[in-house]
Amino acid sequence: MTEQQPSPARFTGDAKPYGGGDPYADHRTADFPFTRYANLADRQLGAAVVAANDEFFAHRENLLLPRPAEFDPEHFGHKGKVMDGWETRRRRGASAEHPWPTADDHDWALVRLGAPGVVHGIVVDTAHFRGNYPQAVSVEGTSVPGSPSPEDLLAADVKWTTLVPRTEVGGHAANGFAVDAGQLITHLRVNQHPDGGIARLRVYGEVVPDPRWLSALGSFDVVALENGGHVEDASNRFYSSPTNTIQPGRSHKMDDGWETRRRRDRGHDWIRYQLVARSEIRAIEIDTAYLKGNSAGWASVSVRDGADADWREALPRTRLQPDTNHRFVLPAPAVGTHARVDIYPDGGISRLRLFGALTEEGATGLGARHRELGG
């Protein structure tokens, strides 16, 4: 196995017992550069915790909930304190003479990523687990095609690569780990040593789609996160993430799109995207679902062919309506590797869809990268 070193920004030791007030006031965290990538363990993208060896106190599914973990000091159930995370029972040794768990004892959970990809960083957040967090964690990754069952993933012939070696963590803290495995990952095995609780898991990286699937589709959304598109940059992220605009499906509430702060100057806001590969765009959708009093007034879409090429307007500045899906068939295909949506003067959109197909050059490049990563 290839072991990767953890990020230097990490925490150890207990947090103080909860003393009232804002439970996040003493939560320990840091700025992790890898969080600029999309969360591959997002339920909206299709991620799931498919199995765990123990979830006595709190369910494994809580690990991937999108909101921050909540804490209610008065909430107890028939098994004890109800926690918003994944929590296992306390491990015990084999006998009265040896009541302690062994060095190898640990609990595990299997996580299916929402899309296959390259993992750049992992956050194991022990929020509100102040004295009942694991002493250490480790994370392994594998690439298994199709839709394997938990039994398939636990088979002896599955090769797991260590993404985060066994590392001590802190209670009530966002423990971050940079990852540089350089291979395609479809599933994770999250281990806590020897037992305890984890509130949330976030897995940041780049989607790498199967080129055979995209080839079979023919025409598809070439900027969608699930197909390998990603946000490079945006002018403003005040209310919500620009990555929301390329998430699957339509948004279901206002903060499931991209909304900027109100401008008081003569400028405008924008998002810049990298497409899955060089593509030929034939149609565009701009959706303002649930943005009723704060949707963008106008929008335009530009494309460029290469990271340093000039921008060419594919859709001229067009009036948008609130809470509406707008569709545009382009008079001629727009060929490129990057796209930019500009909104005027501010506000937001919920989704951007760029429908088209890979060029021959784009398909060749994507296939080569997929093979290089072990796909």
Side-chain angles (χ1 to χ4, degrees), residues 54-121:
D54 188 301
E55 46 186 331
F56 185 86
F57 286 114
H59 299 302
R60 64 182 191 261
E61 289 86 357
N62 292 334
L63 282 173
L64 305 188
L65 290 177
R67 56 173 170 73
E70 299 176 350
F71 180 72
D72 180 354
E74 304 299 327
H75 193 188
F76 286 83
H78 65 277
K79 290 184 179 180
K81 181 73 185 71
V82 175
M83 296 295 290
D84 185 7
W86 169 48
E87 186 181 5
T88 67
R89 72 192 78 202
R90 301 189 188 212
R91 283 184 170 269
R92 296 292 184 245
S95 67
E97 291 74 25
H98 298 280
W100 309 278
T102 70
D104 294 331
D105 284 343
H106 67 280
D107 293 317
W108 53 263
L110 296 176
V111 178
R112 181 189 68 231
L113 298 182
V118 177
V119 176
H120 293 295

Side-chain angles (χ1 to χ4, degrees), residues 102-350:
T102 70
D104 294 331
D105 284 343
H106 67 280
D107 293 317
W108 53 263
L110 296 176
V111 178
R112 181 189 68 231
L113 298 182
V118 177
V119 176
H120 293 295
I122 296 174
V123 174
V124 178
D125 195 341
T126 58
H128 316 305
F129 290 96
R130 296 170 175 268
N132 50 349
Y133 59 94
Q135 181 184 24
V137 300
S138 61
V139 182
E140 301 160 280
T142 190
S143 179
V144 179
S147 304
S149 67
E151 293 74 22
D152 294 332
L153 295 169
L154 295 171
D157 61 344
V158 174
K159 180 183 177 182
W160 292 88
T161 297
T162 299
L163 305 182
V164 178
R166 182 169 175 167
T167 307
E168 289 190 9
V169 294
H172 196 45
N175 301 276
F177 306 92
V179 175
D180 186 22
Q183 67 183 72
L184 195 69
I185 300 294
T186 62
H187 295 77
L188 299 182
R189 184 162 59 191
V190 181
N191 306 304
Q192 47 179 337
H193 309 267
D195 54 38
I198 298 170
R200 295 290 187 268
L201 176 75
R202 302 291 184 252
V203 183
Y204 297 97
E206 300 173 81
V207 173
V208 180
D210 186 339
R212 295 167 298 181
W213 174 253
L214 298 185
S215 176
L217 292 178
S219 184
F220 60 94
D221 182 359
V222 299
V223 77
L225 180 60
E226 62 186 324
N227 292 333
H230 69 267
V231 169
E232 285 192 328
D233 201 2
S235 61
N236 190 277
R237 303 167 185 256
F238 190 83
Y239 285 112
S240 48
S241 171
T243 297
N244 288 344
T245 61
I246 54 174
Q247 287 277 14
R250 299 194 73 196
S251 67
H252 299 287
K253 52 193 176 74
M254 190 171 70
D255 66 352
D256 188 24
W258 173 58
E259 182 190 356
T260 72
R261 73 181 77 199
R262 299 189 187 209
R263 278 189 171 268
R264 302 305 185 202
D265 59 21
R266 307 295 288 181
H268 74 282
D269 290 314
W270 51 267
I271 307 175
R272 189 174 74 241
Y273 306 88
Q274 182 170 322
L275 308 183
V276 54
R278 190 169 187 262
S279 304
E280 188 177 80
I281 301 167
R282 304 188 187 102
I284 296 173
E285 280 190 6
I286 301 175
D287 197 353
T288 58
Y290 290 92
L291 294 162
K292 299 181 179 181
N294 48 10
S295 69
W298 292 261
S300 64
V301 177
S302 301
V303 175
R304 70 181 181 189
D305 195 8
D308 299 319
D310 294 333
W311 291 102
R312 305 183 313 279
E313 193 171 70
L315 178 72
R317 192 180 305 187
T318 303
R319 187 74 168 96
L320 299 183
Q321 298 301 320
D323 196 27
T324 301
N325 192 23
H326 309 75
R327 291 179 170 176
F328 309 94
V329 177
L330 300 185
V335 177
T337 57
H338 296 73
R340 190 187 72 218
V341 60
D342 295 89
I343 63 170
Y344 301 87
D346 56 23
I349 61 174
S350 60

